[in-house]
């Protein structure tokens, strides 16, 4: 009997794009709301963003079943942390938790491409925006902005052009957060999605934006092309 | 015939104990859920293709009179399939080779007197170096003295050996300063561990070796050694497409490690090879004045 190839895959790609930008005292996290499979659209109204803690928000594209499982694991771990330490997890701590959670499935990965955004709450960085970007198995780094998902290749060069910040590895160190104001950053994000929608079939319908700053968190929607 | 039970020695088996006991969780080798599949290797190959860990790099380290010099670039490239390739119908594969990041930290600070370099899978290197840092700290607390570089590299090598064949990709150098002086070990995911005085790892390593080997001398001063390391990384990034970004140089001495420099390799090019105005332009300028 000839060797049979696997004809069922545990993975699927539901498409979508996520973007996050860190500012001096704010953080913008955005994701489109289209969920697709193959050439079909499953729904136009699906949120890829979740608020994990007071000051941490995660947006993920890829396989939404894995994303949902990952969100549940992180939410449960955060609850445990709150019970044990009587405080909310900081964004950098959540970032490392996400990295470890992803790596513990190193041999059966979460097909989830994440960006974590929030406000730093330690020491002299208190209140500064922070964005962490991940690959699917948990390698991560703190950056000033990031895009993940099907539209990432379209958006990243544009953000590089508009926001290119000095590398955090340079010595003497230069600040990585963007000098843009909150309004300008939100405008930039809207532009990114509008352009990505034009060229990427998996991005469109609506973009959901969450903005974290000192006064709290607010949500905004913008309509995108539905074709 | 009674068989001797070696399960207690097996580092990859989870330590039996209370699940809530955090100590057990930290001390035991992390236990990973494995996919239930007939073809583990095929699944791993496909999974690695899908997640394509960030790779491509140049790192180097060498021992000299004043300790160890460690340097690395900062580019991470990622090739991968966008849409899943295991489906029978509709195989719509896009192979992507883009620079996933220009600012990946490839020199990992295990503790204040030991550094690890990253080459291969970024997640693998980050996770296991962090795990090594935890183990080194526990050793310090248990034995009231710092762990030696030989000991730390052995801990890492043993762990990687136990995951041999499962698709981890780690090519790392452990550099540190302990009671017996400067120490440098190369450890990889095949389970190899080598002690040495000069190493370079990654896709750009042949180029870095060329510059490093020709300029090396044990009696270099700290500044000269740093410049040699920086230059070697620059030349590797020039010729190797998978290396680039920022060249970081660290020095590990008796007092611990210190970051000496972080320079953008694009700018380094113009400082080493400044543009001279060409003779044609010079003539045109002269004509205009006349």
């Amino acid at each position: 009997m000839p060797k049979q190839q696997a004809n069922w895959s545990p993975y699927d790609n539901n498409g979508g794009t996520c973007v996050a930008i860190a500012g001096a005292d704010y953080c913008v996290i955005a994701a489109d709301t289209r969920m697709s499979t193959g050439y079909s659209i499953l729904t136009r109204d699906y949120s890829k963003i979740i608020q994990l803690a007071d000051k941490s928000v995660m947006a993920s594209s890829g396989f939404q079943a894995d994303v949902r499982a990952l969100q549940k694991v992180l939410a449960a771990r955060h609850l445990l942390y709150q019970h044990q330490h009587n405080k909310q997890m900081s964004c950098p701590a959540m970032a490392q938790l996400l990295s470890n959670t992803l790596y513990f499935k190193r041999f059966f990965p979460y097909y989830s491409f994440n960006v974590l955004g929030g406000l730093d709450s330690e020491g002299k960085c208190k209140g500064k925006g922070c964005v962490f970007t991940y690959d699917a198995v948990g390698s991560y780094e703190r950056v000033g902005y990031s895009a993940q998902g099907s539209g990432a290749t379209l958006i990243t060069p544009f953000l590089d052009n508009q926001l290119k910040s000095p590398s955090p590895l340079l010595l003497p160190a230069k600040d990585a957060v963007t000098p843009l104001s909150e309004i300008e950053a939100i405008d930039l994000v809207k532009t990114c999605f509008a352009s990505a929608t034009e060229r990427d079939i998996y991005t469109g319908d609506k973009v959901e934006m969450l903005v974290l700053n000192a006064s709290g968190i607010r949500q905004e929607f913008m309509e995108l092309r539905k074709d | 015939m009674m068989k001797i039970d070696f399960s207690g020695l097996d580092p990859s088996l989870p330590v039996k104990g209370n699940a809530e006991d955090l100590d057990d969780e930290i001390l035991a080798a992390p236990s990973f859920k494995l996919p239930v599949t007939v073809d583990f290797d095929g699944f791993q190959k496909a999974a690695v293709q899908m997640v394509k860990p960030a790779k491509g790099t140049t790192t180097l380290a060498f021992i000299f009179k004043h300790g160890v010099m460690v340097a690395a670039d900062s580019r991470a490239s990622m090739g991968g399939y966008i849409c899943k390739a295991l489906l029978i119908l509709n195989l719509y594969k896009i192979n992507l080779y883009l620079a996933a990041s220009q600012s990946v930290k490839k020199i990992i600070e295990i503790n204040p007197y030991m550094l690890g370099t990253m080459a291969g899978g970024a997640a693998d290197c980050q996770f296991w170096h962090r795990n090594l840092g935890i183990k080194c700290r526990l050793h310090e607390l248990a034995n009231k003295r710092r762990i030696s570089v030989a000991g730390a590299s052995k801990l890492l090598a043993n762990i990687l050996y136990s995951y041999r064949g499962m698709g981890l990709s780690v090519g790392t150098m452990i550099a540190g300063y302990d009671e017996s002086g400067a120490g440098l070990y190369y450890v990889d995911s095949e389970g190899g561990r080598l002690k040495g005085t000069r190493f370079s790892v990654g896709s750009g390593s042949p180029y870095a070796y060329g510059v490093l080997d020709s300029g090396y001398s044990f009696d270099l001063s700290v500044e000269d050694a740093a410049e040699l390391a920086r230059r070697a990384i620059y030349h590797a990034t020039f010729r190797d497409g998978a290396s680039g970004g920022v060249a970081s140089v660290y020095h590990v001495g008796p007092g611990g490690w210190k970051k000496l420099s972080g320079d953008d390799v694009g700018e380094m090019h113009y400082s080493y090879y400044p543009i001279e105005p060409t003779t044609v332009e010079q003539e045109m300028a002269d004509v205009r004045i006349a």
Side-chain angles (χ1 to χ4, degrees):
Chain A
M1 177 130 146
K3 183 174 177 186
Q4 287 204 311
Q5 296 284 28
N7 52 12
W8 178 81
S9 164
Y11 296 111
D12 186 17
N13 188 351
N14 299 120
T17 309
C18 308
V19 171
I21 300 181
D25 59 354
Y26 65 87
C27 185
V28 185
I29 299 99
D32 72 320
T33 60
R34 174 177 289 180
M35 181 164 157
S36 357
T37 177
Y39 282 125
S40 310
I41 294 180
L42 291 169
T43 179
R44 298 190 189 276
D45 206 7
Y46 189 83
S47 174
K48 301 184 179 71
I49 306 183
I50 184 177
Q51 183 176 15
L52 292 168
D54 227 6
K55 300 198 163 83
S56 306
V57 175
M58 177 175 86
S60 322
S61 70
F63 180 38
Q64 292 302 322
D66 271 355
V67 167
R68 185 50 66 93
L70 181 63
Q71 289 174 349
K72 284 181 178 175
V73 168
L74 291 172
R77 288 300 297 269
H78 183 232
L79 195 58
L80 276 173
Y81 182 94
Q82 285 180 285
H83 289 151
Q84 286 173 347
H85 297 91
N86 202 21
K87 64 172 183 173
Q88 295 269 327
M89 246 177 149
S90 68
C91 199
M94 184 61 80
Q96 187 152 311
L97 175 64
L98 175 54
S99 169
N100 284 331
T101 308
L102 289 170
Y103 197 82
F104 274 103
K105 292 259 287 162
R106 169 69 176 74
F107 299 114
F108 189 179
Y110 287 109
Y111 190 172
S112 162
F113 297 97
N114 316 288
V115 287
L116 186 80
L119 298 174
D120 209 339
S121 53
E122 311 294 314
K124 54 184 172 144
C125 293
K126 201 175 167 81
K128 255 202 207 161
C130 56
V131 168
F132 296 90
T133 186
Y134 295 80
D135 72 2
V137 274
S139 101
Y140 78 111
E141 56 162 332
R142 181 169 176 173
V143 287
Y145 59 88
S146 168
Q148 291 275 17
S150 53
T153 45
L154 297 163
I155 293 177
T156 308
F158 176 60
L159 289 179
D160 280 340
N161 175 263
Q162 297 292 312
L163 297 176
K164 183 70 181 179
S165 44
S167 169
L169 298 172
L170 289 172
L171 200 71
K174 295 188 193 143
D175 212 3
V177 294
T178 171
L180 287 184
S181 75
E182 192 180 303
I183 315 281
E184 287 173 327
I186 294 173
D187 222 47
L188 192 64
V189 165
K190 290 179 179 172
T191 312
C192 285
F193 275 94
S195 309
T197 305
E198 296 287 326
R199 293 288 182 175
D200 177 29
I201 61 174
Y202 298 109
T203 304
D205 294 331
K206 271 206 307 265
V207 57
E208 178 189 3
M209 287 170 285
L210 254 69
V211 185
L212 280 110
N213 53 26
S215 36
I217 185 166
R218 76 167 196 282
Q219 194 186 44
E220 249 186 77
F221 284 94
M222 185 184 86
E223 295 290 323
L224 295 171
R225 286 178 67 128
K226 302 187 188 315
D227 61 0
Chain B
M1 185 183 77
M2 260 253 292
K3 275 195 167 173
I4 307 171
D5 175 29
F6 282 114
S7 62
L9 293 173
D10 191 338
S12 59
L13 283 180
V15 171
K16 293 182 181 67
N18 205 349
E20 280 100 300
D21 196 332
L22 287 172
D23 292 336
D24 278 350
E25 209 177 279
I26 296 170
L27 286 171
S31 60
F32 294 92
K33 280 205 202 73
L34 298 179
V36 177
T37 167
V38 267
D39 180 18
F40 183 81
D41 290 325
F43 187 93
Q44 286 308 314
K45 266 206 192 93
V48 164
Q49 293 282 48
M50 180 183 80
V51 303
K52 206 64 179 197
K55 259 187 155 189
T57 201
T58 310
T59 60
L60 61 86
F62 58 89
I63 293 183
F64 68 116
K65 196 158 97 181
H66 301 282
V68 197
M69 198 59 75
V70 184
D73 76 315
S74 71
R75 177 174 292 178
S77 41
M78 189 159 71
Y81 290 118
I82 294 261
C83 297
K84 198 65 201 78
L86 279 184
L87 301 171
I88 300 174
L89 310 160
N90 203 18
L91 296 183
Y92 175 47
K93 298 185 275 196
I94 309 172
N95 226 317
L96 264 220
Y97 288 94
L98 35 79
S101 174
Q102 286 276 53
S103 59
V104 175
K105 264 193 92 163
K106 292 188 185 174
I107 298 182
I108 299 166
E109 297 141 12
I110 298 170
N111 58 42
Y113 57 98
M114 228 190 297
L115 294 175
T117 61
M118 174 207 292
D124 294 331
C125 290
Q126 272 186 10
F127 182 87
W128 290 111
H129 278 129
R130 198 182 309 140
N131 186 269
L132 180 64
I134 292 172
K135 286 208 161 70
C136 289
R137 179 69 184 138
L138 287 171
H139 175 100
E140 261 179 49
L141 291 169
N143 300 88
K144 283 198 175 173
R145 55 188 269 177
R146 286 176 172 174
I147 193 171
S148 63
V149 185
S153 60
K154 192 78 174 182
L155 278 175
L156 183 63
N158 286 342
I159 292 201
L160 293 177
Y161 183 79
S162 66
Y163 288 103
R164 188 173 139 92
M166 295 182 72
L168 293 186
S169 171
V170 173
T172 182
M173 296 179 284
I174 307 292
Y177 205 96
D178 59 27
E179 280 154 14
S180 51
L184 178 62
Y185 286 82
Y186 165 76
V187 178
D188 71 20
S189 48
E190 308 307 302
R193 173 176 168 264
L194 297 171
K195 184 178 158 86
T197 44
R198 284 204 303 276
F199 286 114
S200 174
V201 183
S203 52
S205 64
Y207 308 107
Y209 269 129
V211 175
L212 178 60
D213 289 339
S214 60
Y216 175 80
S217 146
F218 184 77
D219 303 306
L220 287 171
S221 70
V222 175
E223 296 86 53
D224 288 341
E227 184 53 31
L228 177 67
R230 200 175 306 126
R231 198 98 197 215
I233 295 288
Y234 156 73
H235 281 286
T237 60
F238 187 73
R239 286 292 176 181
D240 176 32
S243 303
V246 167
S248 308
V249 180
Y250 284 69
H251 173 237
V252 191
W257 58 259
K258 179 165 184 269
K259 180 160 184 177
L260 294 181
S261 69
D263 305 293
D264 184 286
V265 297
E267 285 164 26
M268 278 170 77
H269 174 82
Y270 292 109
S271 75
Y272 289 139
Y273 304 104
I275 304 175
E276 309 286 348
T278 62
T279 43
V280 174
E281 282 164 7
Q282 209 47 42
E283 278 167 36
M284 286 178 68
D286 291 337
V287 166
R288 214 172 288 131
I289 293 165

